[in-house]
Amino acid sequence: MNYEVILIGGGPVGMMLAGELALAGVKVCVIERLTETTPYSRALTVHPRTLEILDMRGVKSKLIRKGRLLSRGHFAGLETPLDFSALDSSSNHTLFLPQSETEKVLEEWALSLGAEVRREVEALSVHQDEDGVDVKIAGPNGATTLRSAYVVGTDGARSLVRKHANISFEGTDATFTAILGDAVLSDLAPMSVLSRITAKGLVSIMPINEQVYRVLIIDMERRNISKDEPVTLEEFRSSIVRTTGSDLGLKEVNWLSRFGNATRQAGRYRNGRLFLAGDSAHIHFPAGGQGMNVGLQEAMNLGWKLAGAIKGWAPDWLLDSYHTERFPWNTALLRNTEVQTLLLDATPPIMELRSLLANLIQIPEANYQVAAQVSAMDVHYAPDPEAPPHPLNGKRLKDLPLKLKDGQLMNSYSYLNKGHFLLLNFHVKEQNSGQWATYSHLQVVHASLVEAEADWNDVHSVLIRPDGHVAWAISRSDPNPMQTISEGIARWCGNITNQEK
């Protein structure tokens, strides 16, 4: 085989997954038809949960240096903002950063780990059999066929992989379109923010930097134009005038796009050796800037599972859990964006509903719940039915300050930089971890919590998955904790006899 995994599509999701696989020592290649990373801003928001998973891999700081941290977000542009600073996280903020920069950082990370990226190459067909997948490609050097054990389609809404995997793409077509652009608006004061919804439509303007603004417009006179019709400069100018009363000193346009509210989801995320992630698995109106973030979180979920299958330690059920874990949360995402889309109408009943909801999310508990949903901080997976019940099972891990045996202070995320499982043992008298040394993808840490955490008071030991979710936790009252730990490690990390030599 040429590769162990081929990724078709080199956007942020493809690059994130390439990095995850390369981190695990998988021979991975990204096929991308573009000559370089996108020059356009596109997805501008990196949400709190995404920042957490990037922190686990040591990438967060590289992104933060290039962007701007914001403590607030929005739901359907309601007047009451979402307060991300209230989230129980070390990343209780969003990062405002053009997608072009996010892609560059993720590609550099993937390449540094040994991933291969083939640019100016287009995938023409994908065919799987019992032993692998053939990918026919064409590029500057002509056409050829590559072979790999698995293929992941990170190739967007019109996914070739989804089509050749015979996976349905169920949902609804667009009922309206909107305009998105990056422009120089000289009549606005530097770093101004403008958000308005009237009978003429909706306009939202955010500064990318002191000169360039991101402009989103739903123009009631132009909302029925096909998304495939290019946006002209004059249309953009006239829509700004209609929705704001002025062209705001429009001087220069860097990028224009039209998009709709089509909402679709793949019927399944896996067919044999073929997988889907990102826009190839689901599309929706980009309300709240959630799309790219969900794709990056899917890459984090799938990467270590694919690596485990390739390296031979993954149990049979693990690869199937990618679909079962991610599908329901993405369904919730689609409903979330559909609700926000409904709230973008300027009819009197909807305007009244917007006012009502804006008042409701002034209640801290309601604001927290919506902020957690938009930021994906509420994502948790079904508890392992084979593990002893515990409230932490399936939950996300926040970055816990730990005190090691020698008194050193460490944060839990630092132990996830290599993409391994992490066994945290809080019962320091029992330190017989030598029996687990054979597991090259498991790190054992004996520590105590620096600060009391209500959900963690009774925890004897906890196994953290490489994607930062709790595989299982056992309480201090467990009658035979060492046996429970050994059984739990064997279930999730494979039997010792299956480990690489």
Side-chain angles (χ1 to χ4, degrees), residues 217-424:
I217 304 174
I218 302 176
D219 183 345
M220 291 303 179
E221 289 192 19
R222 303 289 296 173
R223 70 196 306 265
N224 294 321
I225 305 300
S226 168
K227 75 178 186 65
D228 295 323
E229 182 176 324
V231 184
T232 66
L233 176 60
E234 282 312 306
E235 179 189 6
F236 187 54
R237 185 188 304 276
S238 63
S239 289
I240 292 177
V241 171
R242 266 192 296 275
T243 53
T244 71
S246 162
D247 72 357
L248 304 179
L250 176 62
K251 297 292 185 184
E252 180 183 337
V253 173
N254 297 343
W255 169 66
L256 288 172
S257 178
R258 196 189 312 273
F259 62 94
N261 65 325
T263 302
R264 295 186 177 277
Q265 182 166 209
R268 48 183 169 158
Y269 290 2
R270 178 191 184 187
N271 181 0
R273 295 178 174 274
L274 306 179
F275 292 80
L276 304 174
D279 288 351
S280 68
H282 43 77
I283 59 171
H284 53 86
F285 191 78
Q290 300 171 86
M292 179 187 72
N293 290 274
V294 170
L296 295 177
Q297 292 155 28
E298 287 162 8
M300 188 78 157
N301 184 288
L302 177 59
W304 60 279
K305 296 174 181 179
L306 263 181
I310 290 165
K311 298 299 181 182
W313 58 259
D316 292 339
W317 54 267
L318 194 59
L319 271 184
D320 285 334
S321 74
Y322 169 61
H323 171 86
T324 57
E325 289 186 341
R326 292 305 312 178
F327 188 87
W329 286 104
N330 292 337
T331 301
L333 164 69
L334 300 188
R335 301 295 86 82
N336 166 304
T337 56
E338 287 176 324
V339 168
Q340 293 193 64
T341 300
L342 289 174
L343 291 170
L344 299 180
D345 199 338
T347 59
I350 296 298
M351 294 298 286
E352 186 64 27
L353 179 59
R354 288 178 61 85
S355 178
L356 173 64
L357 292 175
N359 287 332
L360 285 175
I361 63 172
Q362 288 181 16
I363 302 171
E365 293 80 4
N367 196 295
Y368 189 98
Q369 182 172 337
V370 179
Q373 183 182 60
V374 170
S375 63
M377 298 294 267
D378 65 341
V379 172
H380 58 275
Y381 300 130
D384 181 356
E386 300 295 324
H390 194 281
L392 288 176
N393 290 357
K395 299 289 181 66
R396 64 170 258 276
L397 174 73
K398 73 173 187 177
D399 196 8
L400 297 171
L402 303 173
K403 184 176 182 180
L404 306 186
K405 292 183 300 180
D406 60 2
Q408 185 180 4
L409 300 180
M410 295 287 290
N411 287 338
S412 57
Y413 282 5
S414 64
Y415 290 108
L416 295 170
N417 283 183
K418 295 182 179 180
H420 294 166
F421 283 91
L422 171 63
L423 178 67
L424 288 176

Side-chain angles (χ1 to χ4, degrees), residues 34-78:
L34 297 179
T35 59
E36 58 185 14
T37 54
T38 179
Y40 307 120
S41 63
R42 295 189 183 277
L44 277 170
T45 302
V46 185
H47 274 301
R49 180 54 181 168
T50 307
L51 289 173
E52 283 190 340
I53 65 174
L54 293 171
D55 197 10
M56 294 172 196
R57 297 299 187 260
V59 179
K60 173 184 167 181
S61 59
K62 297 177 184 178
L63 286 174
I64 286 180
R65 287 196 292 267
K66 296 175 177 288
R68 189 166 77 249
L69 294 177
L70 302 174
S71 63
R72 293 186 170 188
H74 73 89
F75 187 84
L78 296 176

Side-chain angles (χ1 to χ4, degrees), residues 6 8 31 118 121-125 135-139 142-146:
I6 292 176
I8 299 179
I31 302 298
R118 292 194 180 198
V121 174
E122 184 174 4
L124 303 178
S125 66
V135 180
K136 186 176 181 181
I137 63 171
T144 188
T145 298
L146 302 177

Side-chain angles (χ1 to χ4, degrees), residues 92-113:
N92 56 350
H93 40 248
T94 64
L95 178 65
F96 198 74
L97 181 68
Q99 180 179 322
S100 54
E101 295 297 328
T102 302
E103 278 190 23
K104 287 176 185 176
V105 170
L106 292 175
E107 181 176 15
E108 289 169 2
W109 177 61
L111 290 172
S112 73
L113 294 168

